[in-house]
Each structure stands twice: as structure tokens, then as C-alpha cells.
Amino acid sequence: MSVAGQVFVLSGPPGAGKSTLGKRLRQRFADLAYSVSLTTREPRPGEVHGVDYVFVSREEFLAKVASGEMLEHVEVFGNLYGTSAAAIRQSIDGGRDLLLEIEVNGGLAVKRAFPQAVMIFLLPPSPAELEARLRGRGTEDEPKIRGRLERVAYELAQARHYTHLVVNDDLERAVEEVATLLTAERLRLERRWPLVAPAWGL
Ligand code: ADP
Ligand code: 5GP
């Protein structure tokens, strides 16, 4: 019998570095599952359907909400975003840890569904650096950047509901810190015991 995987929620304002960190963690922990979110927003150049997001119409999205397929969903920046319940269940029931890179309201909904989830809030070193990174990414036009910056204060106000805070100044250090949280979870007795017990005849 496999022990259930853990859910790791990585939140923080747009530009905090969630995707960058997520990518690095998946390279480092090859068995780390991640949930490809659904969204109604247009793909950015280079984004791949089924990899970065599952891009759907508003009608398709709302039909999935109505049929109870979504664990959580939000409307931000004029679009719907959400996490499929089945994908999460499949990972954790199969004993795989799962990383979700989602905004705060979705993160808190996941915490309600999985109270044991590890809640990590990611912050860039300063507001100026956040703005510089958002602009530097070059994926949004000015009104979209403004919209994202206007929501930063709200997202920060939700950080108190999280359990861990990582500052993404030096990327390598931030990756190391989140990796430490993953490793710590994997060392929990209930996870370790079934691996160790057979050698002890237990
Ligand atoms: P999010 O997924 O939270 O919106 P991204 O991962 O897209 O954020 O990061 C926003 C931008 O900041 C990207 O261009 C990324 O390359 C850059 N970035 C991420 N982490 C760092 C860092 N530690 N130092 C400098 N730039 C970074
Ligand atoms: P973007 O348009 O920049 O890719 O994403 C906008 C915001 O939506 C980001 O803060 C991102 O983390 C969040 N987001 C992406 N997928 C999901 C999801 O499945 N659920 C929730 N709640 N937020 C998501």
C-alpha cells in the first residue's frame, strides 16, 4: 500500500517566480507531479497547450465547474483559472507529491480541501524588483502589468494564511529552500516507515 503524496501550494504575486521555481524543482525532483491548470486566457507566444495550461473556452470551463470537475477556480485579470480535482487525487493517491503554482484564493481553497497541504508563499525581494521582473518577462502589455500590480497588496495580505515564506532574491537559494521543505516532508515518519520497516522485519 503506498502512502499518500503531499500537496505543495506555491503562491505569490505574478512575477514572484512561481513558474521559474516550479520548473527548477521538477528538474530536481523527477517524481514531483504538477497540475496543469485550465484557463480561459489566450496562450502567450511559446506556451504549449497541455503543458503550460489547458486552454479552454469560457463555456468549456464553466461546464467543468458545473459538473464538479474543478477542485478550485478563480477569476483574475479577466480570465478563469482552475485546478482539476481528478489530477490532484490521482497524484496523491498514487503516492506522488504534487506542486501547485496558483494564486492565493485558489491556494486557500486547496488548503480547505487538503488541510495537511504545505503552504508556501513566495515573494520577490522588493516591490521595485517585482515590477522590474514583471516588465522584464515581457509577456504582458502595460494595462495587464498594471492590473497585476494592483492586485499585489491583496495577495500579500493573504500571506498570513500560509505556513512558509520564501524570498526569491537569489534564485539558487530560493530553490534550495523550497527543496528543503519537500525533503522535510519526505522524511516524516509515516512516509519513511513503510520504506524502512521491511529491512527490520516489521
Ligand atoms: P510567476 O510565475 O510567479 O508569475 P515567473 O517565474 O514568470 O513568475 O518570474 C517572473 C520573471 O522573473 C521571469 O522573467 C523570471 O525569469 C524572473 N525571475 C524569477 N526568479 C528570479 C530571480 N531570483 N532573479 C531574477 N529574476 C528572476
Ligand atoms: P498568468 O496569466 O500570469 O499565467 O496567471 C495569472 C495568475 O493565475 C497567476 O497568479 C497564477 O499563479 C494563477 N493561476 C494559474 N493557474 C491557476 C489555477 O489553476 N488556479 C488558481 N487559483 N490560480 C491559478
Side-chain angles (χ1 to χ4, degrees):
M1 193 192 78
S2 76
V3 180
Q6 178 60 289
V7 179
F8 295 84
V9 175
L10 185 61
S11 294
K18 300 181 294 295
S19 311
T20 308
L21 242 84
K23 213 164 282 170
R24 289 290 300 272
L25 289 165
R26 290 194 295 278
Q27 284 167 358
R28 180 147 164 183
F29 298 89
D31 55 347
L32 181 64
Y34 75 107
S35 153
V36 180
S37 295
L38 270 76
T39 185
T40 60
R41 88 153 158 71
E42 289 296 310
R44 294 175 185 143
E47 281 185 334
V48 179
H49 179 82
V51 175
D52 297 289
Y53 281 104
V54 173
F55 297 98
V56 295
S57 68
R58 184 165 276 265
E59 293 67 36
E60 281 175 271
F61 196 110
L62 293 175
K64 286 183 188 292
V65 173
S67 64
E69 286 174 61
M70 307 304 291
L71 174 72
E72 61 80 24
H73 72 282
V74 295
E75 180 150 17
V76 281
F77 317 128
N79 282 296
L80 291 158
Y81 295 84
T83 309
S84 140
I88 294 206
R89 270 270 147 245
Q90 202 180 3
S91 297
I92 64 173
D93 289 352
R96 284 184 77 187
D97 290 332
L98 174 81
L99 181 68
L100 299 173
E101 301 153 24
I102 58 178
E103 60 70 58
V104 287
N105 288 343
L108 296 178
V110 170
K111 190 178 174 173
R112 283 192 292 276
F114 298 96
Q116 81 286 3
V118 177
M119 305 293 293
I120 309 166
F121 198 86
L122 185 67
L123 260 188
S126 66
E129 182 63 20
L130 172 64
E131 188 164 347
R133 287 185 192 171
L134 254 187
R135 290 188 196 288
R137 191 169 69 183
T139 49
E140 280 86 22
D141 58 18
E142 189 55 30
K144 290 206 172 83
I145 289 175
R146 287 262 136 247
R148 280 160 167 73
L149 292 174
E150 277 163 18
R151 197 168 188 263
V152 171
Y154 173 76
E155 300 224 3
L156 258 59
Q158 310 311 312
R160 67 182 197 283
H161 301 298
Y162 283 64
T163 47
H164 299 86
L165 178 66
V166 172
V167 177
N168 180 17
D169 41 11
D170 176 61
L171 180 63
E172 298 312 316
R173 214 211 58 253
V175 169
E176 206 52 51
E177 289 183 356
V178 180
T180 302
L181 292 173
L182 257 89
T183 302
E185 281 297 310
R186 291 175 176 200
L187 293 174
R188 293 177 76 93
L189 190 93
E190 66 268 27
R191 295 276 299 259
R192 273 304 213 207
W193 194 259
L195 305 177
V196 170
W200 292 88
L202 298 167

